[in-house]
Amino acid sequence: MATGSGAAAAAADAEEKESGSRMITLTSNEGKAFVVTEASARQSATIRSMVDDGGCVDKGFPLPNVDSKTLARVIQYCDEHGNKEAHTVDERAALAKFDKDFIAELDADKAFLYDVTMAANYLHIQGLFALTTQCIADTIKGKTPEEIRTAFGIEYDLTAQDEEEIKEEDTHA
Amino acid sequence: MAEERKRRKREEEEAEEWERRKRGRRKRRRRRGGEEDPVDVLGEEVMGRVMELLDARSVARCTAVSRAWRGVAAADRLWAPKCAELMAGKAHIPRLTMIPTASKLSTYSMTIADGKRTRITKEDLCDHDWEFRFTIAAPEYWRNLDPSWKHTGPPMRRYFHPDGYHSADPHDAVWGGHECTYTIITSFAGNGCIRDHYVRINRWPPMKVSRKEDWSWELSNHLYRYNSIPDTDKKGCTGPLFPLNDHNQSEKKCWFSNVNGVWCGMNQPDEIRTIARQPDMWARDT
């Protein structure tokens, strides 16, 4: 019995090591600290390279470009993708569903969506960046210029000369 | 005096307009929740990444949204891969893609327009080599001489020359060795639309002109047909540098000249001046 639980503990240990046993502290620009697993933090290529370089893991990472609200949301994504396995069909479907709900929520608040996009870009979180940019692209897709202006609240400032140029290029649109 | 008043009025209007825009911009920035301009917030680089995900038509529409959007959406970096995608799998690459000063966006849109062109020009005829086949309606005697019917070899080839002559390969079974000329005929209806457009060799039956999905040409009558042979690897590309529009020729005031028995159409002289400014564009393989 003792050897059995010992083996199980060793296996759990090994698994933990693999997925990142250490905890990492990320600090938002408001000074709020978030403690995440290394596996979760490794979703960010920026942090990953700093960890691999043997940088200041213990001191934590200050993120001067990200506010607390955005960072909390980004970490939510990283936890989901970093800490969970995605080997079976079911697991992958669960992740896909998470992504779908995640982006649907962001899509309702465009300003927040942009903040998360910028954070994903800054932290080089490829999956999250692809998710948010695709969401913005989907908003643009299939709309006329007028509809795009309405959707994003953009002021029309093109000059007559610009319009002339556009008309010339517009032979196929 | 009146001039002075007018000037002052204009200045006032400009100042007002400027003020209005400034206010508008400030208001927009303060407002939260789906009302911000993504180009302002995300910056041009990230917005460029967003537009990479869009199809060509959507990006083209983005160029007409605002100046800031235009700056992002008209970038060569976005359009270069779309141009490459557009040309992939096509039979011919239009010569206008070689204009070195054109942006990738304008190259793309000109290429799309040229791909839709159904009016053939002398450049198209001369730049391409052509496969010649008899149709099933041709007399058996002629069909028996056609290797593509008898499966004895590749189809016969025909060539159009800039001097108005038409020729075949040596030892061509069908070719009689007589002199042969070609003519492009285009006639217009009163409203400027093309009424009739065909290519004719000698006094033989006219061949109507059509175009396929891959931009290749077909000239055909009930007895035989000509198909342009894909030549995307041809240096300097093919076809006219400034294609003719299919419609509204009367508005554009086309002028025509008869060169060696071939009717050539050219657009307005100002386009010719544009060509003259790019002397290397005249360089052509022989």
Side-chain angles (χ1 to χ4, degrees):
Chain A
M1 237 11 184
T3 50
S5 66
D13 241 17
E15 195 177 62
E16 208 179 26
K17 202 166 267 170
E18 199 178 89
S19 66
S21 55
R22 288 178 293 185
M23 298 303 277
I24 286 175
T25 309
L26 307 174
T27 316
S28 73
N29 63 359
E30 288 142 331
K32 196 173 166 194
F34 293 82
V35 181
V36 297
T37 63
E38 189 183 332
S40 173
R42 290 182 82 87
Q43 288 290 309
S44 155
T46 311
I47 296 176
R48 187 163 63 226
S49 65
M50 283 196 279
V51 169
D52 288 346
D53 288 347
C56 42
V57 177
D58 305 325
K59 278 178 271 165
F61 297 98
L63 305 172
N65 295 349
V66 189
D67 62 31
S68 303
K69 185 186 171 202
T70 311
L71 186 56
R73 187 56 69 94
V74 169
I75 287 171
Q76 191 191 342
Y77 174 90
C78 291
D79 281 347
E80 195 70 22
H81 283 257
N83 297 341
K84 289 193 179 160
E85 304 283 327
H87 298 308
T88 67
V89 176
D90 283 352
E91 280 167 348
R92 258 183 243 133
L95 262 189
K97 188 182 179 308
F98 168 83
D99 282 354
K100 204 174 148 230
D101 296 344
F102 184 84
I103 204 66
E105 214 175 295
L106 279 182
D107 197 19
D109 183 355
K110 284 281 190 296
F112 192 33
L113 173 64
Y114 302 153
D115 288 344
V116 173
T117 308
M118 291 311 281
N121 185 41
Y122 167 64
L123 292 167
H124 289 281
I125 307 171
Q126 215 179 5
L128 180 58
F129 187 72
L131 200 61
T132 53
T133 48
Q134 185 64 54
C135 175
I136 301 169
D138 286 343
T139 313
I140 300 170
K141 198 172 281 178
K143 285 194 170 70
T144 63
E146 186 50 53
E147 285 167 341
I148 293 173
R149 279 192 288 272
T150 316
F152 292 102
I154 298 161
E155 207 174 310
Y156 187 74
D157 62 353
L158 289 170
T159 61
Q161 193 195 338
D162 291 330
E163 279 172 28
E164 195 60 37
E165 262 178 56
I166 290 160
K167 219 179 282 166
E168 248 167 57
E169 289 156 359
D170 211 30
T171 43
H172 63 286
Chain B
M1 210 51 200
E3 196 83 328
E4 174 71 9
R5 252 205 314 277
K6 217 182 278 170
R7 195 177 59 83
R8 204 170 295 155
K9 186 148 183 283
R10 202 174 52 232
E11 273 172 8
E12 268 168 30
E13 273 170 5
E14 268 170 17
E16 239 169 63
E17 165 77 11
W18 179 242
E19 201 46 42
R20 196 178 59 77
R21 280 195 189 178
K22 233 167 43 185
R23 264 204 310 277
R25 212 167 284 157
R26 220 178 294 136
K27 199 165 39 184
R28 198 173 59 223
R29 210 161 278 162
R30 224 183 295 129
R31 214 158 36 186
R32 299 284 286 183
E35 292 288 326
E36 281 179 301
D37 189 338
V39 178
D40 279 354
V41 187
L42 298 176
E44 295 198 352
E45 199 228 316
V46 173
M47 205 54 200
R49 300 273 295 274
V50 170
M51 289 187 190
E52 274 172 26
L53 302 167
L54 292 168
D55 56 295
R57 173 172 295 207
S58 295
V59 182
R61 284 169 162 184
C62 287
T63 63
V65 171
S66 71
R67 301 209 77 164
W69 279 61
R70 184 165 176 74
V72 181
D76 278 359
R77 195 174 59 85
L78 274 176
W79 286 96
K82 294 206 188 309
C83 284
E85 203 179 299
L86 180 64
M87 317 286 178
K90 297 294 194 283
H92 312 300
I93 304 299
R95 179 165 278 129
L96 53 85
T97 59
M98 300 296 287
I99 300 174
T101 51
S103 70
K104 295 286 178 205
L105 167 59
S106 68
T107 300
Y108 187 93
S109 81
M110 287 192 292
T111 309
I112 287 273
D114 187 66
K116 288 179 182 165
R117 175 170 58 95
T118 54
R119 185 172 166 194
I120 203 163
T121 66
K122 189 178 162 186
E123 286 91 337
D124 294 304
L125 290 178
C126 297
D127 286 342
H128 308 311
D129 296 342
W130 299 77
E131 282 178 353
F132 173 84
R133 292 180 181 84
F134 283 108
T135 67
I136 193 149
E140 211 183 343
Y141 170 80
W142 292 108
R143 264 189 284 136
N144 280 337
L145 293 173
D146 183 345
S148 70
W149 271 100
K150 305 304 290 176
H151 300 291
T152 53
M156 292 173 281
R157 293 203 172 190
R158 294 288 180 269
Y159 309 96
F160 296 87
H161 303 283
D163 59 7
Y165 277 92
H166 186 50
S167 68
D169 285 326
H171 314 298
D172 187 288
V174 174
W175 193 252
H178 49 73
E179 276 199 352
C180 204
T181 59
Y182 65 91
T183 322
I184 304 171
I185 308 284
T186 313
S187 66
F188 297 98
N191 61 5
C193 288
I194 290 177
R195 191 176 59 196
D196 224 355
H197 180 55
Y198 56 86
V199 174
R200 198 165 190 187
I201 293 166
N202 292 341
R203 295 279 106 191
W204 300 337
M207 297 188 285
K208 88 178 176 351
V209 179
S210 61
R211 202 148 188 206
K212 303 216 160 103
E213 280 284 288
D214 68 351
W215 299 346
S216 65
W217 296 89
E218 184 170 280
L219 316 172
S220 62
N221 58 28
H222 63 297
L223 292 175
Y224 45 82
R225 63 189 163 90
Y226 283 64
N227 290 94
S228 61
I229 298 172
D231 51 13
T232 48
D233 54 345
K234 192 161 174 172
K235 208 170 140 254
C237 302
T238 53
L241 183 55
F242 289 98
L244 300 166
N245 291 348
D246 284 344
H247 303 290
N248 294 327
Q249 290 301 329
S250 55
E251 260 175 50
K252 280 211 115 184
K253 280 192 231 120
C254 243
W255 50 273
F256 295 87
S257 59
N258 191 331
V259 183
N260 301 317
V262 183
W263 283 98
C264 298
M266 273 289 228
N267 278 348
Q268 282 285 55
D270 57 294
E271 285 192 358
I272 293 157
R273 274 204 297 279
T274 320
I275 305 172
R277 259 185 269 128
Q278 299 160 342
D280 53 331
M281 293 316 300
W282 285 110
R284 186 174 298 177
D285 300 11
T286 38

